[in-house]
Structures are given as C-alpha cells and as structure tokens.
C-alpha cells in the first residue's frame, strides 16, 4: 500500500514537472517582466537581434562586453565575453557607448575612447570569427571622422540603407574645445568601408531648443545631441537621438527622420521634430535620465522594442550617471506610420514580455 502510494506520488510529481518544463518552454501570452534587464551599471545599451537571439553590448568604462541571451528582456543568464579592454596608450574609464553591427556577414563593434593625447574619438574592432561575436576581436582601428578639425567624436551608429549604401551617424563637436561638456551635434558620412568614411562629415542636426540644453542649478552649460539610433519602418527611416545632459534627470530622446529613401547626405531631405522630446523622465514612477536607446524587435518580429538606460532616483551630477541601468519597453505604431512612444515605467510596473518570447 505504502509502496503504491509512493509510486503514485512519484508518477504525479513527474507529470507535474513535465508540465512545468512544457509550460516554461512555450510562449505565454500573459507573462510579464520588470525592468531593469540587468542588475548592474549598464549605460548606453545597444541590442541587436541576430539568428534568433539578442546580442547586448555594454561598457563599464574600461571593458567592453558582449552578451548573448535568448530573452530580449533579461541578460542575467546571458553568455558573456570580453571583446575589448582598454589598452596601452588609451585612458582608463574612457570606453563609451559600444554598438555591435553585422555588416555583410562580419561583426563590428563601434565605440568611443580617449587616449594618445586626444579626447574621445571613434574606434572600431572586428570579430575574428564572423559566426562568433563571443570570440576574439581585432585591435581597435581609429576612425578619422573630421579631416578639418579632428574634433571630438562619439556614439557612432551604422545606417544600412535601402539604396545599398552604408552610412555612419554620430555625435561630434563643430571644433575641438578644451571645455567639457561642449555642444554636441549629429553628423553623417557615407562609409567607404566599415573602418573609413568617404568624403567629409555633414552636419545633420544642431541642438537649439531649451529641452536639449543640460543645465546645472538653472545655468545652461551645453546643448547636447548624441547617441543617434536608426529605426527603419516601411519606407521611413527614423533617427532617435539623446538630448540634454547624460548627467542630468532630464536626459531624453528626440526624433528626426527621412522618408522614401531620399539621399541621407542632403540635410534638407531630413525632417526634424523640434517641439519636444518623444521619451522623457516620469516623476510619477521615479524614472529619470531616460536616454541613449537602441531598437530591436520581438522574437516573432511583430513588435518594436526600445532598449534604453534610466535611473530610479535623482542624484547630483557626477553621481547620477553612475546608477544608469538598461531597461526595455515596447514602442507602438500609429496608422500614419509614426512611432508611438510609451511613458517610461518604474521598477515595480509589470511589462508584458515581447511577442513570441519563449520563457
Ligand atoms: C491569459 O489571461 C487570460 C485572461 O485572464 C486567460 O483567459 C488566459 O487563459 C491566460 N492565458 C495563459 C496562457 O495563461
Ligand atoms: C547565442 O544564444 C543562443 C540562444 O541562447 C544560442 O542558440 C546560440 O548558439 C548562441 N550563439 C553563440 C555564437 O554562442
Ligand atoms: C539563471 O540560471 C540559474 C541556473 O543556471 C538559475 O538558478 C537562475 O534562476 C537563472 N536566473 C534567471 C534570472 O533566469
Ligand atoms: C595609440 O597608442 C598606441 C600605443 O602606443 C598605439 O598602438 C596606437 O596605434 C595609437 N593609436 C593612434 C590612433 O595613434
Ligand atoms: C545560427 O544559430 C545556429 C544555432 O545556434 C548555429 O548553428 C548557426 O551557426 C548560427 N548561424 C550564424 C550565421 O551565426
Ligand atoms: C566560428 O564560430 C562558430 C560558432 O561558435 C564555430 O562553430 C566555428 O568552429 C568557429 N570557426 C573557427 C574557424 O574557429
Ligand atoms: C553652444 O551653443 C550655444 C547656443 O547656440 C552658444 O551660445 C555657445 O557659444 C555654444 N558653445 C560652444 C562651445 O560652441
Ligand atoms: C518606397 O519608396 C520607393 C522609392 O521611393 C518606392 O519605389 C516605393 O513604392 C515605396 N514603397 C512604399 C510602400 O511606399
């Protein structure tokens, strides 16, 4: 009798655990998650979906890491490797805003770094094995983005455009400036190779609105546009940029774009949304410093997702940026093909997991 009960119990337990395993493996329409997507310092996140998994690149200022996760919204158990560590001649703490791009089958990481006697400039590294971003990477190759002034350059992203050409879009100063922070603007150039631009940089956008100015105690200290990110949707190409100070709670996202595959090197082909940010702090839910996004899609490609950094409290400039962490939220689309941004939600608000996400 006792043995039979034990047998029955064991059978029941195995049925329950089989069910649990099955339930875990299937997409669950009602599952939710909470931000952030990692628990440590993770500013300027860049995520790309490739071959069915999510690739997040981060920098902790000295070390550039690549994380591979099956889940868009969770990198705690991702496979992680170091792609680059600040080398001789370069300044410790200076590796900023890495982005991973697959260009014609090869992997590249673009990032900014200072050293060798100059302030931040763009560098690029290439994966030795094009099938494995978790493997070895080349030494950094300097990109020369300003033949005239050799000015400060950060936050480069790659636009792989419908005309078959690739472009680099980044944030730079008009000229080198000993005062930091200075005014940052958005520039573009065609990429001749993944390492080299063709021709001179072209100014696409200068910040000029009050919401784009970083202030300390009411004194405006710099107008900043940085962290440009590309989102292509139907025949429209959007660029979301970060504005205001990354060291301030008002850091936010603005939007500009170009339609119908017009030539992106012609500034007048772009439209500029200048009547305010599209994504900004939400005091009701204690979310601040909401900026530096990247964009990806849900596992089934039906949804657009924003991956950005934010803080859960306000600290003084100098301290605030040290508590930025990576978060994710969905973007919707209206019937005119315009993105509809959510308000940033706080850490205790459940968010439905991306569509088609296996748990
Ligand atoms: C999701 O929630 C709805 C409404 O509460 C419920 O009817 C449905 O069974 C749930 N689906 C799953 C997969 O849990
Ligand atoms: C990346 O992660 C996915 C999902 O976990 C896995 O299937 C894939 O093999 C990984 N890729 C590499 C190159 O490790
Ligand atoms: C990560 O994996 C470990 C075991 O490999 C597991 O115990 C833990 O729950 C996982 N954490 C998350 C957040 O998935
Ligand atoms: C910077 O210095 C390092 C070490 O001396 C050298 O390997 C590297 O090529 C230099 N880079 C540039 C852009 O001058
Ligand atoms: C895609 O992922 C599969 C399974 O993890 C792997 O076998 C294949 O090599 C990957 N392909 C590329 C191009 O990375
Ligand atoms: C490249 O990476 C893939 C995926 O990890 C692996 O299967 C393959 O053996 C690697 N190739 C070389 C030449 O190391
Ligand atoms: C930044 O822009 C403001 C407003 O256009 C201007 O007054 C200021 O001189 C600029 N600063 C620099 C360093 O270019
Ligand atoms: C997209 O733009 C191209 C080039 O202007 C045009 O040929 C095509 O018809 C457009 N498609 C849509 C869906 O508007």
């Amino acid at each position: 009798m006792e043995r039979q009960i034990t047998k029955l119990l064991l059978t029941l337990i195995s049925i329950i655990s089989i069910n649990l395993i099955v339930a875990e493996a299937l997409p669950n329409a009602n599952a939710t998650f909470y931000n952030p997507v990692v628990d440590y310092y993770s500013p300027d996140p860049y995520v790309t979906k490739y071959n069915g998994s999510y690739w997040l690149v981060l920098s902790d200022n000295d070390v550039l890491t690549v994380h591979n996760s099956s889940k868009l919204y969770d990198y705690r158990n991702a496979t992680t490797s170091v792609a680059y560590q600040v080398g001789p001649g370069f300044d410790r703490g200076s590796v900023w805003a890495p982005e991973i791009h697959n260009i014609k089958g090869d992997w590249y990481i673009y990032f900014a770094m200072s050293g060798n006697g100059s302030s931040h400039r763009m560098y690029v590294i290439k994966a030795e094995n094009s099938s494995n971003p978790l493997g070895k990477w080349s030494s950094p190759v300097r990109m020369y983005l300003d033949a005239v002034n050799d000015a400060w350059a950060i936050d480069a992203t790659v636009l792989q455009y419908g005309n078959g050409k690739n472009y680099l879009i980044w944030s730079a100063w008009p000229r080198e400036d000993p005062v930091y922070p200075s005014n940052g603007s958005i520039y573009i150039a065609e990429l001749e190779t993944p390492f080299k631009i063709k021709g001179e940089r072209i100014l696409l956008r200068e910040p000029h609105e009050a919401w784009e100015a970083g202030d300390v105690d009411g004194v405006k200290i710099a107008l900043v546009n940085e962290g440009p990110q590309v989102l292509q949707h139907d025949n429209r190409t959007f660029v979301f940029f970060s504005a205001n100070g990354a060291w301030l709670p008002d850091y936010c996202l603005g939007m500009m774009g170009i339609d119908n595959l017009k030539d992106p090197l012609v500034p007048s082909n772009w439209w500029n949304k200048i009547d305010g940010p599209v994504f900004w702090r939400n005091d009701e839910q204690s979310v601040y410093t909401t900026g530096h996004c990247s964009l990806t899609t849900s596992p089934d490609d039906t949804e657009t997702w924003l991956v950005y950094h934010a803080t859960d409290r306000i600290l003084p400039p100098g301290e605030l940026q040290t508590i930025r962490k990576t978060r994710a939220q969905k973007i919707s689309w209206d019937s005119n093909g315009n993105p509809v941004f959510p308000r940033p939600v706080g850490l205790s608000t459940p968010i439905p997991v991306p569509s088609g996400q296996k748990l």
Side-chain angles (χ1 to χ4, degrees):
M1 185 65 189
E2 222 171 87
R3 208 185 292 163
Q4 274 176 332
I5 290 177
T6 310
K7 213 176 154 190
L8 185 67
L9 276 176
L10 284 176
T11 310
L12 277 175
I13 287 169
S14 64
I15 288 171
I16 289 169
S17 42
I18 286 168
N19 278 343
L20 278 179
I21 289 165
V22 169
E24 265 173 17
L26 289 174
N28 180 346
N30 298 334
T32 57
F33 75 94
Y34 296 90
N35 274 321
V37 304
V38 293
D39 299 312
Y40 47 85
Y41 173 64
S42 44
D44 306 337
Y46 186 89
V47 168
T48 193
K49 182 170 161 236
Y50 183 80
N51 200 13
S53 65
Y54 291 90
W55 296 86
L56 166 70
V57 287
L58 291 172
S59 143
D60 74 354
N61 294 323
D62 284 334
V63 178
L64 200 163
T65 48
V66 180
H67 309 255
N68 175 25
S69 174
S70 57
K71 296 178 187 169
L72 191 166
Y73 65 90
D74 189 358
Y75 299 85
R76 291 170 181 88
N77 275 5
T79 312
T80 294
S81 78
V82 171
Y84 177 70
Q85 201 148 12
V86 172
F90 297 104
D91 299 334
R92 285 185 63 80
S94 72
V95 177
W96 290 356
E99 292 195 6
I100 188 166
H101 291 272
N102 192 290
I103 304 175
K104 296 196 169 100
D106 281 313
W107 287 104
Y108 300 86
I109 297 178
Y110 292 83
F111 61 99
M113 174 165 69
S114 70
N116 290 10
S118 80
S119 58
H120 278 83
R121 300 292 185 275
M122 285 305 305
Y123 291 84
V124 57
I125 56 178
K126 182 180 179 184
E128 286 184 7
N129 178 344
S130 61
S131 302
N132 188 15
L134 297 170
K136 279 198 177 151
W137 290 76
S138 72
S139 304
V141 174
R142 165 98 189 259
M143 297 190 86
Y144 291 90
L145 302 180
D146 176 9
V148 178
N149 304 298
D150 188 26
W152 158 283
I154 60 169
D155 294 353
T157 196
V158 176
L159 163 61
Q160 302 195 37
Y161 207 50
N163 63 2
K165 294 178 180 174
N166 295 328
Y167 300 86
L168 195 76
I169 304 178
W170 72 100
S171 172
W173 294 350
R175 69 200 79 81
E176 195 51 16
D177 192 333
V179 181
Y180 173 83
S182 188
N183 294 341
S185 297
I186 304 294
Y187 289 84
I188 190 170
E190 190 183 330
L191 278 171
E192 188 174 306
T193 73
F195 302 99
K196 192 173 177 289
I197 60 167
K198 190 174 179 176
E200 284 186 15
R201 65 178 188 166
I202 293 164
L203 176 65
L204 279 191
R205 185 170 206 283
E206 269 182 311
H208 42 252
E209 301 285 304
W211 59 270
E212 302 174 276
D215 68 31
V216 175
D217 300 329
V219 181
K220 301 291 174 204
I221 53 174
L223 284 157
V224 178
N225 278 178
E226 59 187 19
Q229 290 297 321
V230 170
L231 174 59
Q232 299 187 78
H233 189 79
D234 296 334
N235 258 6
R236 311 192 67 193
T237 299
F238 299 89
V239 169
F240 305 125
F241 55 87
S242 299
N244 208 287
W247 60 92
L248 296 168
D250 286 329
Y251 198 50
C252 59
L253 296 179
M255 176 166 89
M256 59 188 288
I258 187 166
D259 297 335
N260 296 316
L261 295 182
K262 284 182 192 159
D263 184 354
L265 296 179
V266 177
S268 60
N269 284 342
W270 290 79
W271 48 263
N272 256 305
K273 181 177 167 58
I274 55 166
D275 55 343
V278 290
F279 192 69
W280 67 99
R281 65 191 270 178
N282 185 354
D283 292 50
E284 288 75 40
Q285 296 218 5
S286 303
V287 197
Y288 311 97
T289 319
T290 45
H292 213 116
C293 71
S294 65
L295 296 127
T296 186
T297 55
S298 58
D300 64 6
D301 285 329
T302 61
E303 296 171 347
T304 304
W305 280 74
L306 180 73
V307 179
Y308 64 99
H309 74 222
T311 70
D312 61 353
R313 57 196 184 278
I314 298 177
L315 294 176
E319 289 172 50
L320 183 62
Q321 60 267 48
T322 68
I323 60 164
R324 292 173 295 173
K325 285 182 189 163
T326 300
R327 303 184 183 209
Q329 278 184 249
K330 192 178 86 174
I331 290 182
S332 334
W333 294 91
D334 71 14
S335 53
N336 297 322
N338 288 309
V340 180
F341 278 75
R343 294 293 290 132
V345 297
L347 300 182
S348 54
T349 299
I351 302 172
V353 302
S355 180
Q357 179 73 71
K358 288 197 169 53
L359 302 180

